[in-house]
Every structure is written in C-alpha cells, then in structure tokens.
C-alpha cells in the first residue's frame, strides 16, 4: 500500500454563487472516493458521482463533460503516483473547472 492511497486531496473550485473558491476534499476508498465539502459529505464512485456533481450544480458551477473521466483516471493512478503528483492533478482540474466556469458566463 503506497502513501498516496490514504491521502486526502483538495480541490479549490470557484463558485459563482458566493464569488469565492470552495474547498472540496477527496480521499480514495476501495470503490471510489470519500467526498466532502462544507455542504455535504459521502461516498462517491471513481468518477465522483453522484455527490460531487450534485454539489457543483447546487453551486451553479459548470464543468467540462469529461471531468468524470479525468477523476476516474486519477483514481486508477493514485497508487502509482506520489501524493504531490496527485494533488498537482487535482490543482489543475480545479483550475480548469474554475476557468471553464468563468468562460461560460
């Protein structure tokens, strides 16, 4: 078991509803992720369904269609990357969602 598997990863995503970046946590589990933010927490699948996307929608955050594919592939690779590498991917995804959010409006 590598150090990456039990780590908690952060995503900061811009929320147009409050004009701030919200913090989301994901921690790998056997079948997906433990998802958490200030609004709710629970188990989600490898791609983040359903809670992660419900939360984004509640916050009026638009996200790219293939986000789920990316999050699934991070899940697949958590054990082969170190924590910093995985966090970097989540940082890029967060920026990408925040950027696409700003571009849609």
């Amino acid at each position: 078991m590598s150090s990456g598997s039990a780590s908690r990863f952060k995503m900061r995503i811009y929320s147009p509803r409050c004009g701030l970046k919200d913090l989301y946590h994901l921690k790998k589990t056997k079948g997906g992720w433990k998802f958490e933010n200030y609004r709710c927490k629970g188990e989600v699948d490898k791609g983040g369904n359903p809670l992660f996307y419900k939360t984004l929608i509640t916050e009026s955050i638009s996200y790219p269609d293939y986000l789920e594919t990316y999050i699934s592939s991070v899940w697949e690779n958590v054990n082969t990357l170190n924590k910093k590498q995985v966090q970097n991917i989540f940082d890029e995804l967060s920026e990408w969602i925040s950027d696409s959010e700003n571009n849609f409006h």
Side-chain angles (χ1 to χ4, degrees):
M1 184 135 142
S2 84
S3 61
S5 54
S7 302
R8 224 164 80 137
F9 302 104
K10 292 193 287 261
M11 289 180 87
R12 289 181 191 280
I13 301 169
Y14 176 76
S15 167
R17 243 170 51 94
C18 60
L20 300 167
K21 285 194 173 184
D22 281 338
L23 190 58
Y24 299 80
H25 286 110
L26 290 166
K27 184 176 181 177
K28 185 174 177 175
T29 62
K30 217 183 193 83
W33 303 95
K34 208 182 208 66
F35 168 76
E36 192 178 330
N37 86 333
Y38 76 94
R39 189 180 283 284
C40 59
K41 64 176 168 188
E43 295 283 329
V44 297
D45 72 9
K46 296 174 191 179
N49 287 301
L51 216 48
F52 178 55
Y53 300 99
K54 275 191 181 145
T55 308
L56 293 180
I57 290 162
T58 306
E59 291 294 331
S60 310
I61 295 169
S62 324
Y63 54 88
D65 293 340
Y66 29 92
L67 182 59
E68 193 184 325
T69 312
Y70 278 94
I71 291 177
S72 294
S73 80
V74 176
W75 186 91
E76 301 288 347
N77 292 303
V78 162
N79 295 337
T80 55
L81 302 169
N82 65 38
K83 183 178 181 186
K84 192 173 190 291
Q85 289 170 309
V86 177
Q87 185 55 61
N88 284 342
I89 296 168
F90 277 122
D91 290 347
E92 281 176 28
L93 288 177
S94 304
E95 244 169 73
W96 185 44
I97 297 164
S98 298
D99 285 349
S100 65
E101 178 53 47
N102 295 331
N103 293 335
F104 288 146
H105 300 293

